[in-house]
């Protein structure tokens, strides 16, 4: 997918709270962040969406109390223009919130992929890194294709929604006309009354816990590309058929010079090997024919980046396996 939905944006926005583990690096140019998210199994037929808790109700009461207080103060100061506008805002907002709040909030996405579909592992590109999603396609779809849906009463006319819209529009027009007629104190009271829930709501609904998200930091973009490729190809049968490593590498590094082509070939050769085999990113394992001294030096540097990424991947894999073993016991 060239673009993803709102939930993917919510997921990437909350990654800054994760503690980053630095990957092995012999050099550092542009620091890149890599996040791995193990998407849990989602049971769409039983997906309760808790829209409010007692804590949310308490927080919501503060702006309500402020609005009533400013309304009373305007009345005490005999500023009836601002008093009327604040009171109208309380009524129109309250009625609208009641109508919309009576709807059923859910998650809309592709819940049943085609039979025989491969795993839904994929990547979300950010401005300074990448988010790697690991999970079944039906579960990953909630992040890449999902969106909130609100089912309201009164379909298909939605007469009540139309009346609420009309009331809010009337409030807006009257505010433009009457607020300038009020006193300075009343105008201040009006502005006072106007005063990362979505991400938490989504993660709680699909049961995506903080422990299922890992953060890494790569010293170069080449290390990030190679590490991402290793993680996405993890546990897949060799030879690889459902995934094309070359497409992953080209997504990050589309350079088409001879040096970069030889580097990508070496990374793909490593990926095709059985997991845990020794690294082949030493210069003596690469055909340097056709390269001058400067190009050979560049390729050697890029191979070192890939070797650092491979070492970091082995450490990540071993740590994840040890955690799974401890949880199973």
């Amino acid at each position: 997918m060239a673009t993803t939905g709102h939930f993917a944006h919510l997921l990437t926005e909350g990654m800054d709270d994760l503690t980053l583990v630095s990957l092995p690096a012999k050099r550092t140019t542009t620091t890149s962040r890599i996040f791995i998210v193990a998407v849990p199994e989602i049971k769409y037929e039983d997906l309760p969406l808790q829209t409010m808790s007692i804590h949310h109700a308490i927080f919501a009461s503060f702006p309500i109390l402020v609005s009533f207080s400013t309304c009373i103060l305007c009345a005490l100061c005999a500023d009836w223009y601002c008093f009327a506008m604040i009171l109208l805002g309380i009524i129109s907002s309250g009625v609208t919130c009641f109508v919309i709040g009576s709807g059923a909030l859910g998650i809309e996405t592709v819940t049943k992929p085609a039979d025989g579909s491969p795993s839904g592992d994929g990547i979300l590109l950010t401005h300074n890194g990448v988010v790697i999603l690991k999970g079944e396609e039906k579960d990953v779809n909630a992040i890449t294709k999902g969106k909130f849906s609100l089912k309201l009463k009164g379909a298909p006319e939605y007469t009540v929604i139309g009346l609420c819209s009309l009331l809010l529009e009337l409030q807006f027009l009257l505010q433009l006309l009457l607020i300038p007629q009020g006193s300075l104190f009343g105008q201040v009271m009006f502005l006072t009354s106007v005063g990362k829930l979505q991400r938490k709501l989504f993660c709680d609904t699909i049961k995506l816990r903080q422990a299922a998200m890992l953060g890494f930091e790569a010293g170069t973009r080449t290390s990030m590309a190679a590490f991402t490729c290793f993680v996405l190809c993890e546990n897949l049968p060799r030879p690889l058929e459902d995934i094309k490593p070359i497409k992953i590498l080209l997504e990050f590094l589309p350079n088409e010079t001879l040096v970069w082509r030889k580097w990508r070939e070496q990374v793909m050769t490593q990926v095709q090997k059985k997991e845990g085999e020794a690294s082949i990113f030493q210069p003596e394992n690469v055909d340097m024919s056709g390269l001058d001294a400067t190009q050979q030096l560049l390729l050697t540097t890029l191979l070192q980046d890939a070797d650092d990424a491979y070492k970091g991947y082995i450490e990540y894999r071993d740590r994840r396996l040890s955690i799974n073993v401890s949880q199973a016991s």
Side-chain angles (χ1 to χ4, degrees):
M1 294 176 62
T3 57
T4 52
H6 182 55
F7 290 158
H9 171 72
L10 294 178
L11 182 66
T12 56
E13 285 295 303
M15 292 299 181
D16 294 336
D17 297 334
L18 294 179
T19 301
L20 300 179
V21 177
S22 296
L23 297 178
K26 289 293 193 302
R27 70 185 184 108
T28 300
T29 55
T30 302
T31 303
S32 302
R33 296 181 174 185
I34 308 167
F35 301 100
I36 303 176
V37 179
V39 184
E41 181 182 1
I42 302 174
K43 297 180 180 179
Y44 290 101
E45 63 277 4
D46 182 25
L47 202 63
L49 210 58
Q50 182 181 358
T51 55
M52 180 172 288
S53 65
I54 184 63
H55 304 291
H56 300 147
I58 293 174
F59 284 129
S61 66
F62 287 112
I64 296 173
L65 293 175
V66 170
S67 295
F68 275 111
S69 300
T70 54
C71 187
I72 294 172
L73 287 174
C74 287
L76 294 176
C77 295
D79 191 337
W80 303 114
Y81 287 121
C82 293
F83 165 80
M85 289 303 95
I86 296 175
L87 182 61
L88 178 60
I90 293 173
I91 296 174
S92 60
S93 299
V95 171
T96 303
C97 287
F98 175 78
V99 171
I100 295 179
S102 63
L105 184 63
I107 292 178
E108 183 179 314
T109 186
V110 180
T111 60
K112 294 182 179 180
D115 295 336
S117 297
S119 63
D121 297 353
I123 57 176
L124 302 173
L125 297 179
T126 64
H127 67 282
N128 65 339
V130 61
V131 179
I132 304 173
L133 303 177
K134 303 279 289 183
E136 296 299 322
E137 184 175 1
K138 73 176 184 65
D139 304 322
V140 174
N141 281 344
I143 297 175
T144 57
K145 303 177 182 179
K147 57 184 178 181
F148 285 122
S149 65
L150 183 62
K151 297 181 179 178
L152 299 169
K153 299 177 181 178
E157 292 84 4
Y158 297 112
T159 305
V160 179
I161 296 296
L163 293 176
C164 289
S165 300
L166 183 61
L167 182 60
L168 290 173
E169 186 174 356
L170 177 63
Q171 174 198 352
F172 170 72
L173 293 175
L174 289 176
Q175 286 173 356
L176 288 179
L177 294 173
L178 299 182
I179 288 299
Q181 308 302 321
S183 65
L184 177 60
F185 177 79
Q187 292 173 359
V188 172
M189 290 297 98
F190 172 77
L191 293 176
T192 303
S193 67
V194 176
K196 292 185 178 177
L197 179 60
Q198 291 187 67
R199 184 178 187 274
K200 184 179 185 302
L201 175 63
F202 171 64
C203 291
D204 289 347
T205 300
I206 67 173
K207 295 181 174 58
L208 178 59
R209 305 304 180 213
Q210 196 79 354
M213 296 179 276
L214 300 175
F216 299 89
E217 193 171 53
T220 65
R221 191 169 179 82
T222 46
S223 291
M224 177 184 69
F227 182 83
T228 301
C229 194
F230 296 139
V231 173
L232 285 175
C233 296
E234 182 184 18
N235 295 331
L236 295 180
R238 269 59 173 178
L240 296 172
E241 295 180 355
D242 295 333
I243 191 171
K244 302 294 182 183
I246 183 65
K247 291 185 177 181
I248 301 172
L249 298 175
L250 285 172
E251 188 70 40
F252 293 101
L253 303 164
N255 312 59
E256 284 295 348
T257 62
L258 182 59
V259 171
W260 285 102
R261 288 201 299 270
K262 286 182 176 291
W263 178 82
R264 283 194 291 265
E265 289 173 1
Q266 201 68 10
V267 173
M268 289 188 293
T269 302
Q270 181 74 66
V271 169
Q272 291 286 359
K273 289 179 172 292
K274 293 182 179 179
E275 293 189 15
E277 290 193 12
S279 167
I280 59 170
F281 293 116
Q282 296 72 34
E284 57 269 19
N285 295 326
V286 183
D287 179 15
M288 294 286 187
S289 60
L291 302 177
D292 58 29
T294 303
Q295 291 174 323
Q296 291 182 21
L297 180 60
L298 174 59
L299 181 55
T300 300
T301 302
L302 298 178
L303 289 173
Q304 181 61 59
D305 291 342
D307 188 60
D308 291 339
Y310 187 66
K311 291 176 182 176
Y313 163 70
I314 295 298
E315 293 175 3
Y316 148 75
R317 188 198 61 182
D318 293 342
R319 186 178 67 169
R320 183 180 53 76
L321 290 175
S322 64
I323 292 175
N324 290 342
V325 170
S326 62
Q327 289 178 344
S329 60

